Amino acid sequence: MTTEGLAVNFSELVNKNKQTLARLQESPRLLLHRRDGEDLVLTTATRAEQDQTVVSAATRMLVAMARREPGSMELLLDILPDAFPWVRFLPDVDLHAFAVELVDTMRAADSLGNNASVAHLLIAWQHTAEVHSDPELLAALTRDHSEDYGPTPDPRSTT
């Protein structure tokens, strides 16, 4: 995640909290680097609410556009390669499935106020495009695997 601005160590927030929090006047977000965990992003509640409002508005406009006119899905399919260049590797049927799933998932995620499912969807489809972009990988993953390799061991066993 980009922060559009400043980054400090988490210890600065702990040791110099007033000075560190004052830096939010200079930047909408503050990246907090942590040694023992994932980095954090600090922002104000107002900024977080504004960000969610913008994402929600964009989602609602995209959903409305995609569902309003019969030709709007074709328009969406035309603009997807500009937004996500990797979709050029998807077969047409997958490109259409991605567009429908993206719109539906964005709408559902917006209703919850949690966009994690949209990020997961984009990553999964990008991996699918990556497979289609590599003929050897695509062949390996789509060839007939009718051989029986026997029972699968229980992954929970420690033997």
Side-chain angles (χ1 to χ4, degrees):
M1 170 180 210
T2 60
T3 60
E4 303 169 16
L6 304 174
V8 297
N9 291 326
F10 184 79
S11 59
E12 248 185 89
L13 176 64
V14 173
N15 297 325
K16 302 175 187 175
N17 57 20
K18 287 183 183 179
Q19 296 93 329
T20 304
L21 291 175
R23 296 182 80 178
L24 283 173
Q25 300 297 321
E26 304 167 36
S27 177
R29 288 170 200 81
L30 189 60
L31 179 64
L32 301 173
H33 294 295
R34 297 189 318 164
R35 277 185 286 177
D36 299 331
E38 186 176 0
D39 289 348
L40 302 174
V41 176
L42 183 65
T43 190
T44 64
T46 299
R47 173 61 74 167
E49 186 177 325
Q50 290 170 344
D51 290 348
Q52 183 58 39
T53 299
V54 169
V55 170
S56 181
T59 296
R60 290 169 191 243
M61 289 185 332
L62 176 66
V63 169
M65 183 206 72
R67 295 177 181 222
R68 178 166 231 154
E69 298 294 327
S72 60
M73 184 53 79
E74 285 72 29
L75 175 61
L76 180 58
L77 292 170
D78 285 345
I79 65 171
L80 279 175
D82 291 333
F84 308 105
W86 48 261
V87 301
R88 287 177 173 84
F89 295 111
L90 293 174
D92 287 343
V93 66
D94 284 352
L95 178 59
H96 189 270
F98 167 63
V100 169
E101 193 173 354
L102 178 62
V103 169
D104 290 345
T105 303
M106 288 179 72
R107 182 172 183 256
D110 181 57
S111 73
L112 296 173
N114 183 338
N115 294 311
S117 59
V118 177
H120 177 72
L121 173 90
L122 290 169
I123 291 166
W125 276 104
Q126 186 173 7
H127 289 312
T128 301
E130 184 178 1
V131 169
H132 284 284
S133 74
D134 183 338
E136 290 178 25
L137 183 57
L138 182 61
L141 294 173
T142 57
R143 75 171 183 259
D144 182 16
H145 295 280
S146 59
E147 292 181 52
D148 185 353
Y149 297 102
T152 304
D154 186 345
R156 295 170 292 188
S157 70
T158 57
T159 25

